Amino acid sequence: MELNRITIMVRDIEKSIDFYTKIAGLEVQAKLEPPMGKIAFLSNSDDELKLELVEFRGFEKVETKGLVLSFRVEGSLEEFYSIVINAGYQPSDIFEMPPKPKHFKIKDPDGVLIEFSN
């Protein structure tokens, strides 16, 4: 069995697209505008990670308690940390807690906890 995609019911799809493309490095594969709202499909360049962002009027939105999405950073975690700060986000400190890899955390526009590590 294979995980097909992760769907997040977002409050503002454009803010979410901006975050996941500029910070998480995903690419928009398709955008739809059905009568009830908007949908965007994003993935990484290898099409391994598939994320569906959905903004529908009147539908419940994501609740984030206990939800963490983890991304592996290519290159220096410290350099990427600086990029995140310069983009106006407020990440956590960088943690080293073996056996977990060195990492930091940040929240996406809907409060989903995102972890970046090497």
Side-chain angles (χ1 to χ4, degrees):
M1 189 174 303
E2 178 180 305
L3 180 63
N4 189 29
R5 77 176 63 86
I6 297 168
T7 300
I8 302 175
M9 302 299 287
V10 300
R11 289 163 183 79
D12 183 326
I13 200 164
E14 295 307 322
K15 284 183 181 177
S16 295
I17 289 171
D18 189 61
F19 176 85
Y20 284 101
T21 56
K22 291 181 180 173
I23 301 300
L26 301 181
E27 300 170 3
V28 175
Q29 302 302 320
K31 289 172 98 173
L32 306 172
E33 292 198 28
M36 64 282 265
K38 300 176 184 176
I39 303 171
F41 295 95
L42 293 82
S43 69
N44 64 357
S45 59
D46 294 328
D47 204 33
E48 298 163 335
L49 170 67
K50 297 175 188 167
L51 185 63
E52 177 184 27
L53 304 174
V54 178
E55 179 188 337
F56 283 173
R57 291 177 293 282
F59 281 64
E60 64 184 64
K61 306 304 179 203
V62 66
E63 299 209 14
T64 62
K65 187 175 182 179
L67 176 64
V68 180
L69 300 179
S70 296
F71 289 87
R72 186 175 20 249
V73 173
E74 300 286 330
S76 166
L77 187 66
E78 289 76 12
E79 287 177 20
F80 183 68
Y81 185 82
S82 294
I83 290 169
V84 170
I85 289 173
N86 290 334
Y89 293 95
Q90 298 176 347
S92 71
D93 292 334
I94 296 176
F95 296 102
E96 290 191 57
M97 302 177 341
K100 190 171 185 158
K102 185 166 50 168
H103 67 281
F104 68 89
K105 298 175 184 177
I106 186 172
K107 290 189 177 182
D108 83 352
D110 285 283
V112 175
L113 191 58
I114 309 297
E115 182 178 275
F116 293 100
S117 65
N118 282 112

